């Protein structure tokens, strides 16, 4: 059964004529619990103002907090433009993903979504130059991994700027390298725009990015699931969904999509009249023989009233990669990197030291559970 809170933050209008003060207070608590209060407030202000006195009271009492969040979002967007312009001066194409970009494009409301950091997508070949530019702008890396090592092991680098009080993630991939059959070059083939007017994800790339993001968070973030719901709604008659499902099959994301669809169905009980493409997505996925075991559908069920984040979630998520070879690789890579990654981690060592460096890395990896480098 769809909860009232879930309905309010969805693209579908809710019937709140009979909502009690206690029920509404519970909705407010859920919005804060899941980091969705900006969206919750925005939807109430746009569609439900005047419906109940306690809704009006909530809107009045929280208006300043909401406006502060909007102001913070605007400052973040201004900083995003500064970074994009600085990279543009060095002929480095870059694209803002998530955060403000999702608010503008998917929700068509720049004031409905908060983000704790800035997410920028670049090309792998521009990583070194971008790293230098960010350093010049006062951004400091949160780790000390050599860039050559990070490229093959991660999908982004994290930075912070103490002066501006800002966190930044520099992406070149949507998720962990080699988990899906989607390369950074393929991702950039799905980027449109130019330096003057800005670069943007195509609708297909936007949904793929969100699916990969949901996988990376162990299928537990309601905030990401809401983004996916809104993206399907926004692109209902834009994306060629049968072709899109075939692309997901090529990328190895069918099981990821099936789990996500089950979560959306259980939370929103989506009707075909609400999102026509939902029927097409389910129909075309059913024609593909790839399926996650029923256990994983059960394991990753989402209870928005009592969210449960389990420590093994990400390890369990690896088990629903489409191919067994990918599953095996996802576990082996923890302590056995590729040869080029080892060379990147120990750039000063000669090639004859490769076997020794593998042993050094395995020992380091087993003793550093936080995966922070300590040389």
């Amino acid at each position: 059964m769809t909860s009232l809170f879930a309905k309010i933050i969805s693209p579908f209008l809710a019937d709140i004529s009979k909502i009690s003060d206690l029920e509404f207070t519970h909705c407010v608590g859920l919005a804060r619990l899941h980091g969705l209060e900006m969206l919750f407030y925005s939807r109430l202000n746009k569609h439900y103002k005047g419906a109940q006195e306690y809704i009006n009271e909530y809107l009045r009492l929280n208006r300043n907090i909401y406006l502060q969040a909007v102001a913070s979002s605007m400052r973040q967007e201004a900083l995003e433009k500064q970074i994009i312009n600085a990279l543009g001066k060095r002929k480095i194409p870059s694209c803002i993903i998530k955060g403000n970009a999702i608010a503008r494009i998917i929700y068509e409301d720049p004031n409905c979504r908060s983000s704790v950091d800035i997410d920028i997508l670049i090309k792998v070949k521009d990583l070194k130059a971008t790293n230098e530019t960010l350093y010049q702008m006062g951004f400091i890396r949160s780790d000390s991994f050599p860039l050559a090592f990070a490229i093959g092991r991660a999908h982004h680098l994290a930075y912070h700027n103490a002066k501006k009080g800002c966190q930044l993630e520099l992406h070149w991939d949507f998720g962990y390298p080699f988990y899906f059959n989607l390369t950074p070059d393929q991702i950039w083939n799905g980027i449109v725009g130019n330096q003057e007017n800005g670069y943007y994800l195509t609708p297909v790339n936007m949904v793929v990015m969100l699916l990969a993001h949901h996988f990376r968070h162990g299928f537990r973030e309601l905030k990401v699931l809401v983004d996916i719901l809104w993206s399907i709604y926004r692109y209902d008659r834009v994306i060629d969904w049968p072709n899109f499902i075939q692309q997901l099959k090529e990328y190895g994301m069918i099981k990821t999509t099936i789990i996500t669809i089950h979560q959306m169905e259980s939370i929103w009980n989506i009707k075909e009249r609400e999102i026509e493409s939902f029927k097409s997505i389910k129909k075309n996925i059913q024609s593909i023989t790839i399926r996650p075991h029923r256990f994983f559908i059960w394991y990753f069920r989402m209870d928005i009233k009592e969210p449960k984040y389990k420590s093994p979630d990400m390890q369990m998520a690896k088990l629903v990669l489409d191919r067994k070879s990918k599953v095996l690789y996802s576990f082996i890579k923890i302590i056995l990197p590729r040869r080029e990654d080892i060379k990147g981690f120990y750039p000063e060592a000669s090639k004859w030291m490769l076997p020794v460096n593998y042993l050094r890395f395995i020992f380091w990896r087993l003793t550093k559970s936080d995966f922070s480098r300590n040389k």
Side-chain angles (χ1 to χ4, degrees):
M1 181 178 179
T2 306
S3 75
L4 188 59
F5 164 68
K7 199 76 172 181
I8 290 173
I9 61 173
S10 78
F12 325 119
L13 294 181
D15 179 8
I16 61 173
S17 59
K18 298 180 181 179
I19 184 176
S20 68
D21 192 356
L22 182 62
E23 288 174 317
F24 180 72
T25 300
H26 183 60
C27 289
V28 173
L30 289 175
R32 291 171 179 168
L33 175 66
H34 292 285
L36 286 164
E37 192 165 12
M38 277 190 78
L39 176 61
F40 181 72
Y41 185 100
S42 179
R43 296 290 290 171
L44 285 175
N45 193 49
K46 185 175 182 180
H47 296 287
Y48 305 103
K49 184 189 293 184
Q52 300 286 355
E53 182 55 38
Y54 37 81
I55 293 179
N56 291 345
E57 184 70 1
Y58 165 80
L59 292 173
R60 184 184 66 81
L61 292 176
N62 291 277
R63 187 171 189 275
N64 287 338
I65 297 175
Y66 172 73
L67 291 177
Q68 289 173 11
V70 170
S72 176
S73 182
M74 291 175 65
R75 288 193 297 270
Q76 188 180 74
E77 191 164 7
L79 181 56
E80 289 173 354
K81 291 179 179 178
Q82 291 179 23
I83 297 170
I84 295 297
N85 289 337
L87 294 175
K89 290 178 180 178
R90 297 193 64 172
K91 307 299 181 184
I92 301 173
S94 55
C95 176
I96 299 296
I97 57 176
K98 305 176 188 175
N100 290 318
I102 289 178
R104 290 193 309 271
I105 298 171
I106 298 300
Y107 295 91
E108 296 184 346
D109 180 357
N111 302 323
C112 74
R113 200 177 187 281
S114 61
S115 181
V116 297
D117 53 30
I118 293 173
D119 294 272
I120 298 180
L121 181 71
I122 61 163
K123 297 180 179 180
V124 172
K125 68 181 183 65
D126 293 323
L127 181 55
K128 182 178 180 181
T130 303
N131 184 66
E132 293 172 355
T133 301
L134 291 175
Y135 180 78
Q136 292 166 2
M137 296 183 71
F139 285 91
I140 306 300
R141 287 265 305 276
S142 300
D143 65 76
S144 58
F145 295 128
L147 295 182
F149 174 78
I151 289 172
R153 296 284 295 183
H155 61 288
H156 75 270
L157 295 175
Y159 297 77
H160 69 275
N161 188 316
K163 185 176 180 180
K164 297 183 181 296
C166 176
Q167 307 291 323
L168 181 147
E169 289 188 357
L170 184 63
H171 295 254
W172 54 89
D173 206 334
F174 285 160
Y176 298 111
F178 312 113
Y179 281 20
F180 301 120
N181 303 320
L182 180 64
T183 68
D185 287 341
Q186 287 176 306
I187 290 173
W188 269 94
N189 288 337
I191 301 292
V192 295
N194 52 54
Q195 188 61 48
E196 182 178 354
N197 299 311
Y199 291 93
Y200 305 93
L201 297 175
T202 61
V204 166
N205 252 19
M206 177 68 81
V207 181
V208 169
M209 183 269 290
L210 291 172
L211 286 170
H213 190 48
H214 196 39
F215 168 88
R216 190 169 64 84
H217 283 275
F219 300 105
R220 293 299 182 191
E221 289 284 346
L222 177 64
K223 194 172 184 178
V224 181
L225 192 65
V226 173
D227 287 341
I228 297 172
L229 172 69
W230 273 87
S231 69
I232 294 175
Y233 171 80
R234 185 63 60 206
Y235 298 134
D236 190 23
R237 301 187 180 183
V238 175
I239 291 177
D240 180 343
W241 294 102
N243 184 63
F244 176 70
I245 296 302
Q246 289 303 311
Q247 285 184 263
L248 291 180
K249 181 181 178 181
E250 293 174 10
Y251 297 156
M253 300 181 72
I254 294 298
K255 291 182 182 179
T256 292
T257 304
I258 290 174
I259 288 173
T260 303
I261 291 295
H262 273 277
Q263 289 181 325
M264 288 193 290
E265 281 190 308
S266 66
I267 293 175
W268 287 286
N269 190 26
I270 299 171
K271 306 292 192 303
E272 292 175 16
R273 58 181 172 77
E274 294 173 322
I275 306 181
E276 293 182 9
S277 57
F278 207 72
K279 178 180 179 181
S280 177
I281 292 172
K282 292 173 61 179
K283 177 182 177 181
N284 284 277
I285 281 184
Q286 287 172 358
S287 67
I288 298 174
T289 57
I290 301 170
R291 290 279 185 282
H293 192 278
R294 286 178 296 178
F295 167 79
F296 294 107
I297 300 295
W298 169 83
Y299 180 86
F300 288 115
R301 69 195 187 284
M302 188 179 289
D303 184 354
I304 65 176
K305 296 180 181 179
E306 296 182 10
K308 297 178 181 178
Y309 300 93
K310 306 171 186 177
S311 55
D313 282 348
M314 190 56 241
Q315 305 308 319
M316 294 293 286
K318 293 177 183 178
L319 296 174
V320 295
L321 291 168
D322 284 6
R323 298 182 181 178
K324 293 181 180 179
S325 59
K326 296 291 185 180
V327 174
L328 182 62
Y329 167 78
S330 70
F331 287 98
I332 290 178
K333 69 165 288 192
I334 297 174
I335 59 173
L336 288 177
R338 300 175 305 157
R339 178 175 179 175
E340 51 266 49
D341 296 335
I342 287 292
K343 289 181 177 179
F345 198 71
Y346 301 106
E348 72 284 352
S350 68
K351 64 180 181 179
W352 305 110
M353 286 290 292
L354 185 62
V356 175
N357 288 338
Y358 260 109
L359 294 176
R360 290 171 64 191
F361 180 85
I362 292 172
F363 177 78
W364 169 83
R365 186 63 185 93
L366 293 174
T367 57
K368 301 296 178 183
S369 60
D370 62 351
F371 207 59
S372 59
R373 194 176 190 201
N374 183 19
K375 291 186 70 176

